DNA sequence: CTGAAAGCGCTAACAG
DNA sequence: CTGTTAGCGCTTTCAG
């Protein structure tokens, strides 16, 4: 026989091939594949060996279509490079995996428009969706919430929308930070603001104004969420007259710290500094950063479980709030 | 009519629903959906509005099955938390997106067994696969390479296997680092080894022994790839008698730096230190880290393009090697 | 315990 | 330009 025309796309091996090879019906193959029913041990064995003789690999698309669900849960994050989201994803993946599912991650690059688009796309693939810290306008969220989409949102609360959510207790975190600073004698603190549209930023501001009731003087400076932005804003921070600065998160704090160090400003002797989130690097900074630990793995796990319930048609899922914990290290000190 | 039994799973809206609503055939709907053919403007418009009136969302599974491809490319990384891979993923996603596709990421958690399993799983979903720095045994790789799987591997070269790969020029990177150190007068350097099974580690060692030919004395210490490991090995590094330490990567270097700082060891006055990869944090360290920049976005883009060619049935893809660049900062200094 | 056959939602010829 | 109609690979009744 003439050699097949090269590059002759090796036809996909299907369940029918396996059935033929094993001398069984496709139904039977499907059964052993799904570990269901009671297939005669002998037959099952033949099927199994036929499967790996042929290197059979079930088509996810076909299974998904036939089953009516993909076994995939989608996750949309604003920035994959942020370790904050890794831990969430990891924990979520673990939950999904233990249920025979998997996670499909996408990165919206902090762009609300892309976010909306990807959400739509993700929904075509996944059975349920986790939106991490979504920046998209309320209206978009509302549109999805309406259609009974299996959606779960983290780090954002949307008033008056039937939207399941899990949030972190940023409020308490900031209060703890403020209390700590106040006990050290600080009276005037500077808050470096996070991204404009981040709910987390709003929460922090809300808490901060609460702290003012306790006699703490709070000034703010627009900044952002990255090390670069922290580095850039550091000189201005110095001029605020505050004796302590509360950075939006650890990245910002690290940037501030780097700049301070270059400027010869000593932390905490000259000025105290705090972060938020407790990323790994926080404790390796010089000095190690006082920050607020957010149990992201717990968040991820809770999200996985909640989504499971939601997709199972579960009604009334309780909104959850994950507690945080103050981590005092040496970037904060008593006012001399 | 009696209220429908609650939780009555809202039936999926299909192309048929849209067709009916728009008074067209499914074929026509499919056409406007795919932007193909020439559909009468009026009809197309009716279809389109029917689509969003109904909130229609094409099923990825059905499309995938019918088309015979999913438009998805899979990526497997050993650790999502490593920024090294983000940039690759981001660049790859961009390539995929611009071709109407998307990327499905999974994390093997540095476990070769999981790696193999996930690879298999990923292949059921994706049209092609990018294996980043795979740790799995050669035999496993060989098994896949055989079946003509559209596979691309980065950061690992496998002798005698028909496996497409894109690698980074670690060899040159280490040589550049050694040359730099030698010019500063260093004669005895310590290399902190990376993960046992990482091809990248082997390459670095190979380069290091090449450097010995130039009169550089190289000693090594097992370490790893994380900040923690760097932190832990730092004291031992001090006892090696070396005047400069070459850390496996920036993370390790950062850990070493943190410990040195605690120990009162000054960098580079007392000892020089280098990293590898140039992660963001490298330039914010105190002192900023001398390191080797790896153009990860380029790697990701190249990978995307190569995979495109491979999946298109392209024969003989040239193995590519991405060049690196030395970044001299202040963590290295002349020997006093 | 096993097989036949009807879809799952969509695409892609193939006819009009 | 538009509609009909086979499949895509797998699951799942429904008979046997």
């Amino acid at each position: 026989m003439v050699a097949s025309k090269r590059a002759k796309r090796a036809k996909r091996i299907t369940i029918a091939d396996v059935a033929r090879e094993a001398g069984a019906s496709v139904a039977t193959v499907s059964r052993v594949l799904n570990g269901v029913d009671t297939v005669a041990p002998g037959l099952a064995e033949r099927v199994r060996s036929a499967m790996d003789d042929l290197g059979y690999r079930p088509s996810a698309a076909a299974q998904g279509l036939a089953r009516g669900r993909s076994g995939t849960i989608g996750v949309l994050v604003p920035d994959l490079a942020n370790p904050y989201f890794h831990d969430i994803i990891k924990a979520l993946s673990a939950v999904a995996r233990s249920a025979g599912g998997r996670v499909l991650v996408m990165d919206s690059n902090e762009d609300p428009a892309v976010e909306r688009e990807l959400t739509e796309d993700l929904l075509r693939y996944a059975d349920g969706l986790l939106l991490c810290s979504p920046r998209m306008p309320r209206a978009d969220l509302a549109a999805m919430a309406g259609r009974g989409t299996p959606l779960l949102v983290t780090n954002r609360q949307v008033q008056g929308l039937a939207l399941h959510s899990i949030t972190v207790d940023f409020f308490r975190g900031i209060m703890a930070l403020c209390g700590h600073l106040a006990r050290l004698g600080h009276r005037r603190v500077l808050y470096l603001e996070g991204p404009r549209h981040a709910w987390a930023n709003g929460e922090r501001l809300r808490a901060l104004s609460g702290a003012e009731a306790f006699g703490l003087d709070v000034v703010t400076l627009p900044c952002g969420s990255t090390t670069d932005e922290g580095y850039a804003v550091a000189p201005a921070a110095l001029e605020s007259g505050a004796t302590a600065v509360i950075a939006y998160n650890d990245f910002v704090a690290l940037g501030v710290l780097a700049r301070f160090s270059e400027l010869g400003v000593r932390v905490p002797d000259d000025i105290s500094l705090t972060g938020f989130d407790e990323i790994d690097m926080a404790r390796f900074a010089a000095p190690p950063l006082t920050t607020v630990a957010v149990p992201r793995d717990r968040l991820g796990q809770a999200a996985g479980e909640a989504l499971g319930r939601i997709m199972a048609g579960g009604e009334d899922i309780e909104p959850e709030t994950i507690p945080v914990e103050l981590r005092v290290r040496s970037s904060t000190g008593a006012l001399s």
Side-chain angles (χ1 to χ4, degrees), chain A:
Chain A
M1 189 207 280
V2 181
S4 58
K5 291 251 185 283
R6 80 213 287 256
K8 172 174 181 211
R9 253 201 161 351
K11 249 199 160 351
R12 190 181 228 302
I13 298 161
T14 76
I15 201 175
D17 299 318
V18 177
R20 191 176 324 113
E21 175 87 2
S25 72
V26 294
T28 297
V29 176
S30 174
R31 286 186 184 105
V32 343
L33 202 57
N34 295 287
V36 275
D37 254 344
T38 34
V39 178
L43 221 198
E45 199 38 61
R46 261 189 301 147
V47 170
R48 250 183 295 270
S49 71
M51 293 205 296
D52 51 51
D53 279 5
L54 268 48
Y56 171 66
R57 216 177 271 133
S59 146
Q63 287 188 316
L65 185 55
R67 289 185 180 143
R69 52 199 184 61
S70 62
T72 296
I73 106 167
V75 184
L76 188 57
V77 299
D79 180 17
L80 243 195
N82 189 330
Y84 187 88
F85 301 111
H86 299 318
D87 301 323
I88 295 179
I89 294 171
K90 280 213 168 167
L92 185 63
S93 295
V95 176
R97 255 176 90 66
S98 78
R102 69 210 104 276
V103 164
L104 175 47
V105 188
M106 290 203 198
D107 179 336
S108 68
N109 229 351
E110 301 272 6
D111 183 333
V114 174
E115 199 174 75
R116 171 63 146 120
E117 185 187 339
L118 290 186
T119 299
E120 213 65 57
D121 194 40
L122 229 27
L123 280 171
R124 307 188 316 119
Y125 287 86
D127 299 332
L129 203 54
L130 175 64
L131 254 32
C132 292
S133 313
R135 268 75 154 134
M136 72 177 89
R138 180 199 163 84
D140 285 346
L141 245 19
M144 329 243 56
R147 309 217 187 267
T149 321
L151 215 58
L152 181 62
V153 174
T154 73
N155 289 359
R156 172 152 171 186
Q157 236 143 45
V158 193
Q159 299 285 343
L161 240 47
L163 207 54
H164 303 298
S165 73
I166 296 188
T167 53
V168 170
D169 203 343
F170 296 131
F171 194 92
R172 288 276 265 278
I174 291 290
M175 287 305 252
L177 236 28
C178 288
H180 167 65
L181 256 17
R183 273 192 303 282
L184 289 172
H186 295 275
R187 295 271 68 105
R188 184 180 176 78
V189 310
L190 167 68
Y191 170 59
L192 297 179
E193 291 191 52
R196 211 44 96 198
H197 298 298
W199 177 80
N201 188 50
E203 282 296 286
R204 285 164 169 68
L205 284 168
R206 211 162 61 83
L208 251 5
S209 69
E212 291 196 294
F214 286 91
L216 210 56
D217 221 36
V218 180
V219 297
T220 71
L221 224 43
C223 179
S225 59
T226 67
T227 305
D228 277 297
E229 290 165 306
Y231 184 88
V233 84
L238 248 21
E239 292 171 1
S240 69
T243 60
V245 4
I246 298 183
Y248 174 70
N249 66 16
D250 288 348
F251 279 120
V252 172
L254 254 18
V256 171
L257 196 58
R259 190 65 171 274
F260 278 180
S261 159
E262 280 182 26
L263 263 28
V265 176
R266 292 165 314 157
V267 172
D269 306 302
D270 297 329
I271 191 168
S272 283
L273 175 65
T274 69
F276 209 108
D277 288 351
E278 165 134 277
I279 61 174
D280 246 37
M281 211 50 83
R283 68 179 199 284
F284 291 116
L289 226 49
T290 289
T291 187
V292 174
V294 176
R296 296 177 286 260
D297 49 345
R298 229 185 107 180
L299 211 184
Q301 188 181 336
E305 286 160 0
L307 264 174
R309 269 173 275 138
I310 293 172
M311 297 184 323
E315 348 280 298
D316 61 77
I317 309 293
E318 283 277 328
E320 236 169 303
T321 296
I322 307 287
V324 298
E325 208 171 302
L326 178 66
R327 287 274 197 276
V328 176
R329 299 217 180 79
S330 39
S331 70
T332 46
L335 207 56
S336 49

